Amino acid sequence: MHILITGGTGFVGRSLVKQLIPHQMTILSRDCDNAARQLKHVNSNSLQFINSLNHLSCLSDFDAVINLAGEPIVNKRWSEAQKKHICDSRWDITRKLVQLIKQSDSPPKVLINASAVGIYGDQKQLRVEEDTPYKTCGFAHYVCQEWENIAHQAHSQRTRVVVLRTGIVLGLQGGALEKMLPPYKLGLGGPLGSGQQYMPWIHMQDMVRAMQFLLETHACSGAFNLVAPHPVTNLEFSQTLAKLLGRPHFFVTPKFVMQWVLGESSCLLFDSVNAKPKRLTEMGFTFNYSRLQPALAQILAS
């Protein structure tokens, strides 16, 4: 299979490329030399690189497209300029991919497009499955909803579209856990606010295994929650992490402090999404890490 991947040098992308060997992969990157260095763990015979979609008139040479590109949503405060950058970095490339798919005489059989559980909004303690109605408010919902709408325009009898509503991806060398570890190792760990907000999570191994499963299972289309079957509250997460590190757990960070530090983007820490991977498990996918403690233990041991 020949797969076009955007965002292949990102936190998830690097692990995905490794997972998809021995498929032939073309990685879209603004800096091909840097991308090759970041993916040096992959057999170079499996990879080629392009720095733009502009010279392509169609995508007939590809069997599949995996679109993970996008400005990280949590790295900076949400100024109006940053909001625009977050949206444009997702929507523009997705529109271009959809256009190229539609122009193809022999289009890719599948477009797998990133999204996030932020599409659901703050659902409190409600169990959240793929058909749960959205809380249609907030910037995170707005970004994901439009992103999915654009991706679905590629759907046809010859191209299925899969959207990945991801939670917190747990792994090393990037992601939320990398940011959390330093204060927890110093004994400064603890819940955020009340700690009762749900944190849907998934181990990196299961994340990329699930993406491969969706890529290769032709009956799969539509939205899938890419989260472990047993989400936990922020309090449970922080207690588990502190226990595994052998550190105290008593520092509570008030909600108003994070709102002052992060502004509007603090909602990503306090919105509660008790998400379940209903469609993924119904299609037959099995998780290697369905519970938080063994998932964190494996990552920390590595």
Side-chain angles (χ1 to χ4, degrees), residues 62-234:
F62 298 98
D63 302 296
V65 179
I66 301 177
N67 180 28
L68 306 177
E71 168 75 8
I73 198 168
V74 297
N75 283 9
K76 299 177 182 178
R77 287 176 68 96
W78 288 348
S79 65
E80 290 306 310
Q82 179 64 8
K83 283 183 175 181
K84 185 177 187 304
H85 187 38
I86 288 169
C87 293
D88 291 347
S89 67
R90 287 161 172 75
W91 300 349
D92 290 352
I93 193 169
T94 308
R95 288 190 185 100
K96 182 62 175 178
L97 289 169
V98 169
Q99 177 188 359
L100 290 170
I101 289 172
K102 289 183 173 182
Q103 291 172 186
S104 303
D105 293 331
S106 179
K109 295 178 177 62
V110 59
L111 166 64
I112 295 180
N113 205 84
S115 184
V117 296
I119 195 170
Y120 297 110
D122 185 5
Q123 296 280 356
K124 308 301 182 186
Q125 307 303 303
L126 180 69
R127 178 187 175 110
V128 176
E129 297 172 347
E130 288 85 355
D131 58 355
T132 298
Y134 309 143
K135 299 285 186 178
T136 54
C137 61
F139 179 65
H141 165 82
Y142 170 68
V143 173
C144 293
Q145 179 66 83
E146 182 61 17
W147 203 7
E148 291 190 14
N149 288 342
I150 296 167
H152 281 303
Q153 294 173 19
H155 173 78
S156 71
Q157 291 184 340
R158 296 190 292 173
T159 302
R160 59 189 173 94
V161 175
V162 175
V163 293
L164 312 173
R165 294 177 179 169
T166 61
I168 297 170
V169 181
L170 300 180
L172 297 177
Q173 298 179 331
L177 187 59
E178 183 180 59
K179 293 180 173 65
M180 296 174 69
L181 281 176
Y184 273 79
K185 287 180 177 179
L186 292 172
L188 302 176
L192 298 172
S194 70
Q196 297 308 301
Q197 64 274 28
Y198 271 93
M199 294 174 56
W201 62 274
I202 186 170
H203 191 292
M204 178 66 84
Q205 287 185 20
D206 284 332
M207 177 71 182
V208 296
R209 287 179 57 248
M211 293 172 71
Q212 183 176 22
F213 176 85
L214 294 168
L215 175 70
E216 297 174 353
T217 306
H218 302 300
C220 293
S221 65
F224 288 83
N225 290 340
L226 260 66
V227 295
H230 302 287
V232 296
T233 64
N234 174 260

Side-chain angles (χ1 to χ4, degrees), residues 286-299:
T286 57
F287 286 81
N288 288 340
Y289 297 95
S290 60
R291 299 281 182 179
L292 180 65
Q293 181 159 337
L296 283 176
Q298 188 278 331
I299 293 168

Side-chain angles (χ1 to χ4, degrees), residues 9-51:
T9 60
F11 176 49
V12 173
R14 295 192 303 271
S15 293
L16 177 65
V17 168
K18 185 176 180 180
Q19 178 71 23
L20 293 180
I21 297 170
H23 291 300
Q24 182 67 36
M25 289 167 274
T26 295
I27 311 299
L28 175 67
S29 174
R30 289 187 297 269
D31 187 338
C32 294
D33 291 337
N34 181 56
R37 285 192 294 270
Q38 292 196 54
L39 297 172
K40 63 183 179 181
H41 60 290
V42 179
N43 185 336
S44 60
N45 293 330
S46 299
L47 297 181
Q48 58 186 18
F49 300 89
I50 58 173
N51 60 15

